[in-house]
Amino acid sequence: MDTGPAPHRPDRPGGPLRTLRVLSDLLAFLLEVAALLALAVWGYEWGGRLVVGALIGAVVAGAAAVLWGAFAAPRARYRVPLPAVLAVKALVFGSAALAIAGLGHGRQALWFAGLVLVDTALVTAYRSRDRST
């Protein structure tokens, strides 16, 4: 007995919400890479000289990457409560926004911070929803 087409479910695999999640995850990854790059460039510029600047840039970006991987990444080494994850994200992304502004790109820093806020809210909302179901 055929009951007709299945009802439309926007959260089913391949549905519009799935597409939004994939795009949001991609944007989150690109923002994370941009944050590390901004911190590295800021460290390099702040160091002033080639070797010193490169070392400072590597240390600043490396410290942010280690902190992120330990606590904020989707497969973080340590499981911490959501407020701690958000605090690490605020520290890394906030530092990156300040680095972008410090490099003389204030408007881009505001756009970066705005994208981070919107995407982090989306990612947090759907991951929280997944954990509760």
Side-chain angles (χ1 to χ4, degrees):
M1 174 162 97
D2 185 20
T3 59
H8 177 70
R9 291 201 39 187
D11 60 343
R12 73 170 196 256
L17 288 183
R18 175 70 179 147
T19 302
L20 178 64
R21 289 174 70 153
V22 169
L23 291 174
S24 180
D25 283 339
L26 176 62
L27 179 58
F29 174 73
L30 293 174
L31 289 170
E32 292 159 16
V33 171
L36 294 177
L37 182 62
L39 291 169
V41 170
W42 175 84
Y44 179 80
E45 291 290 325
W46 191 78
R49 295 196 177 178
L50 183 61
V51 175
V52 173
L55 183 61
I56 291 173
V59 168
V60 170
V66 168
L67 188 63
W68 191 275
F71 302 107
R75 295 186 183 114
R77 180 171 177 92
Y78 303 103
R79 284 286 182 207
V80 295
L82 181 60
V85 172
L86 293 176
V88 170
K89 288 183 177 190
L91 177 65
V92 172
F93 283 135
S95 297
L98 289 173
I100 294 168
L103 290 167
H105 303 287
R107 187 175 307 234
Q108 290 86 347
L110 290 174
W111 274 102
F112 176 79
L115 280 172
V116 164
L117 284 172
V118 170
D119 193 59
T120 300
L122 282 172
V123 170
T124 302
Y126 74 68
R127 288 186 183 160
S128 295
R129 182 176 163 225
D130 288 347
R131 288 186 191 121
S132 66
T133 56

